[in-house]
Amino acid sequence: MLLQAAPILFKGVGYTLVFAVASMLGGLLLGFPLAIARIVPSRWAQWPATAYVSLMRGTPLLVQIFVIYYGLPSIGISFSPLTAGILALSLNAGAYLSESLRGAILGVHNGQWSASYSLGLNYGQTLRYIVIPQAIRIAVPSMSNTLISLIKDTSLVSVITVTELMLATKEVIAVTFRPLPLYLAAAAVYWCLSICFERLQIRLERKLGQAHRN
């Protein structure tokens, strides 16, 4: 039975990886400016960023998916299920990644700022060339956790008819009427994907650690 279901499940795994990786990239593109907006000495930048992060972290991801896919068409904004899913996951991940990056930036020792100012660098140059490279190394573990969470969160996009792993599993169950082994197989796949990304995280941490020591 599992061998017969394998092609459909593998297709779902492909969509799951697309959602996770695309959403991580989208989240990073959003997370960096959000993190910087929250630490710059300007309330006009801090308040909108803080409000956004609070909103996205304080509401369920499932509700955010419904708002984007089912709610926005009422005001003339429509997305395909694939686009809506990636957009919702990216917007949500961006809020969490911004917190990881903000914490990492604040974790860089104040002496680094003072030393760069003494060399004639301004705030933006210090942030770009001195602080952010160090902050990324610090933030890798928490950002990796966000990616692993994204892999599991992709199961929520099944509610907007995207055939990722969970919906693919449900489709097979509807034909075979064997929910237990198929749900266990899906769980095992999610677990294997998480392990793979954990291994990548460990390698990246080691590589960045060696570069820092050098």
Side-chain angles (χ1 to χ4, degrees), residues 108 112-113 116 119 121 125-135:
V108 176
Q112 299 289 324
W113 292 88
S116 66
L119 294 174
L121 299 180
Q125 290 172 328
T126 301
L127 195 63
R128 178 179 178 182
Y129 297 112
I130 307 298
V131 175
I132 287 182
Q134 297 181 66

Short mmCIF file of all heavy atoms in Angstrom, two decimals, residues 108 112-113 116 119 121 125-135:
data_model
loop_
_atom_site.label_atom_id
_atom_site.label_comp_id
_atom_site.label_asym_id
_atom_site.label_seq_id
_atom_site.Cartn_x
_atom_site.Cartn_y
_atom_site.Cartn_z
N VAL A 108 25.55 41.42 19.76
CA VAL A 108 26.93 41.79 19.41
C VAL A 108 27.44 42.80 20.44
O VAL A 108 26.74 43.76 20.77
CB VAL A 108 26.98 42.41 17.99
CG1 VAL A 108 28.38 42.89 17.66
CG2 VAL A 108 26.53 41.37 16.96
N GLN A 112 32.15 46.51 19.75
CA GLN A 112 32.25 46.47 18.29
C GLN A 112 31.76 47.79 17.68
O GLN A 112 32.34 48.30 16.72
CB GLN A 112 31.42 45.30 17.74
CG GLN A 112 31.86 43.94 18.22
CD GLN A 112 33.18 43.52 17.62
OE1 GLN A 112 33.47 43.80 16.47
NE2 GLN A 112 34.00 42.84 18.41
N TRP A 113 30.67 48.31 18.24
CA TRP A 113 30.15 49.60 17.78
C TRP A 113 31.17 50.71 18.06
O TRP A 113 31.47 51.53 17.18
CB TRP A 113 28.83 49.92 18.48
CG TRP A 113 27.70 49.03 18.11
CD1 TRP A 113 27.36 47.84 18.69
CD2 TRP A 113 26.74 49.25 17.07
NE1 TRP A 113 26.25 47.30 18.08
CE2 TRP A 113 25.85 48.15 17.08
CE3 TRP A 113 26.54 50.26 16.14
CZ2 TRP A 113 24.78 48.04 16.21
CZ3 TRP A 113 25.47 50.17 15.26
CH2 TRP A 113 24.61 49.06 15.29
N SER A 116 34.21 50.55 15.73
CA SER A 116 33.95 50.98 14.35
C SER A 116 33.75 52.49 14.27
O SER A 116 34.17 53.13 13.30
CB SER A 116 32.73 50.25 13.79
OG SER A 116 31.56 50.62 14.48
N LEU A 119 36.92 54.21 14.11
CA LEU A 119 37.56 54.10 12.80
C LEU A 119 36.92 55.02 11.76
O LEU A 119 37.35 55.04 10.60
CB LEU A 119 37.50 52.65 12.30
CG LEU A 119 38.31 51.63 13.11
CD1 LEU A 119 38.04 50.23 12.61
CD2 LEU A 119 39.80 51.96 13.01
N LEU A 121 33.56 54.96 10.89
CA LEU A 121 32.36 54.42 10.26
C LEU A 121 31.13 55.03 10.91
O LEU A 121 31.10 55.27 12.12
CB LEU A 121 32.32 52.90 10.40
CG LEU A 121 33.47 52.11 9.76
CD1 LEU A 121 33.28 50.61 10.00
CD2 LEU A 121 33.56 52.39 8.28
N GLN A 125 27.12 52.03 8.20
CA GLN A 125 28.30 51.25 7.81
C GLN A 125 28.68 50.25 8.89
O GLN A 125 29.06 49.11 8.59
CB GLN A 125 29.47 52.21 7.55
CG GLN A 125 29.30 53.05 6.30
CD GLN A 125 30.36 54.12 6.17
OE1 GLN A 125 30.86 54.64 7.18
NE2 GLN A 125 30.72 54.47 4.94
N THR A 126 28.57 50.67 10.14
CA THR A 126 28.86 49.76 11.25
C THR A 126 27.91 48.58 11.24
O THR A 126 28.31 47.42 11.41
CB THR A 126 28.76 50.50 12.60
OG1 THR A 126 29.69 51.57 12.61
CG2 THR A 126 29.05 49.56 13.75
N LEU A 127 26.65 48.88 11.01
CA LEU A 127 25.63 47.84 10.98
C LEU A 127 25.89 46.87 9.84
O LEU A 127 25.82 45.65 10.01
CB LEU A 127 24.24 48.48 10.85
CG LEU A 127 23.02 47.62 11.14
CD1 LEU A 127 23.02 47.16 12.59
CD2 LEU A 127 21.74 48.40 10.85
N ARG A 128 26.21 47.42 8.67
CA ARG A 128 26.36 46.58 7.48
C ARG A 128 27.63 45.75 7.49
O ARG A 128 27.59 44.55 7.18
CB ARG A 128 26.33 47.47 6.23
CG ARG A 128 26.53 46.72 4.93
CD ARG A 128 26.46 47.66 3.75
NE ARG A 128 26.70 46.95 2.49
CZ ARG A 128 26.74 47.54 1.29
NH1 ARG A 128 26.54 48.84 1.20
NH2 ARG A 128 26.98 46.83 0.20
N TYR A 129 28.75 46.37 7.83
CA TYR A 129 30.04 45.70 7.66
C TYR A 129 30.56 45.00 8.92
O TYR A 129 31.35 44.07 8.83
CB TYR A 129 31.09 46.71 7.19
CG TYR A 129 30.79 47.32 5.85
CD1 TYR A 129 30.45 48.66 5.73
CD2 TYR A 129 30.84 46.55 4.69
CE1 TYR A 129 30.17 49.23 4.49
CE2 TYR A 129 30.55 47.10 3.45
CZ TYR A 129 30.22 48.44 3.35
OH TYR A 129 29.94 48.99 2.13
N ILE A 130 30.13 45.45 10.08
CA ILE A 130 30.67 44.92 11.33
C ILE A 130 29.66 44.07 12.09
O ILE A 130 29.94 42.92 12.46
CB ILE A 130 31.16 46.07 12.25
CG1 ILE A 130 32.14 46.98 11.50
CG2 ILE A 130 31.77 45.50 13.52
CD1 ILE A 130 33.40 46.30 11.04
N VAL A 131 28.47 44.62 12.30
CA VAL A 131 27.52 43.99 13.22
C VAL A 131 26.74 42.86 12.57
O VAL A 131 26.65 41.75 13.12
CB VAL A 131 26.56 45.05 13.81
CG1 VAL A 131 25.49 44.39 14.67
CG2 VAL A 131 27.34 46.08 14.62
N ILE A 132 26.16 43.12 11.41
CA ILE A 132 25.29 42.10 10.78
C ILE A 132 26.05 40.81 10.46
O ILE A 132 25.51 39.71 10.70
CB ILE A 132 24.61 42.68 9.53
CG1 ILE A 132 23.51 43.66 9.96
CG2 ILE A 132 24.02 41.56 8.67
CD1 ILE A 132 22.73 44.25 8.81
N PRO A 133 27.29 40.84 9.93
CA PRO A 133 27.99 39.57 9.69
C PRO A 133 28.14 38.74 10.97
O PRO A 133 28.02 37.51 10.93
CB PRO A 133 29.34 40.02 9.15
CG PRO A 133 29.07 41.33 8.49
CD PRO A 133 28.05 41.98 9.37
N GLN A 134 28.41 39.40 12.09
CA GLN A 134 28.51 38.67 13.35
C GLN A 134 27.15 38.21 13.83
O GLN A 134 27.01 37.11 14.39
CB GLN A 134 29.16 39.57 14.41
CG GLN A 134 30.58 39.99 14.09
CD GLN A 134 31.18 40.86 15.17
OE1 GLN A 134 31.38 40.39 16.30
NE2 GLN A 134 31.47 42.11 14.85
N ALA A 135 26.13 39.03 13.61
CA ALA A 135 24.78 38.70 14.07
C ALA A 135 24.24 37.48 13.34
O ALA A 135 23.53 36.65 13.93
CB ALA A 135 23.85 39.89 13.88
#
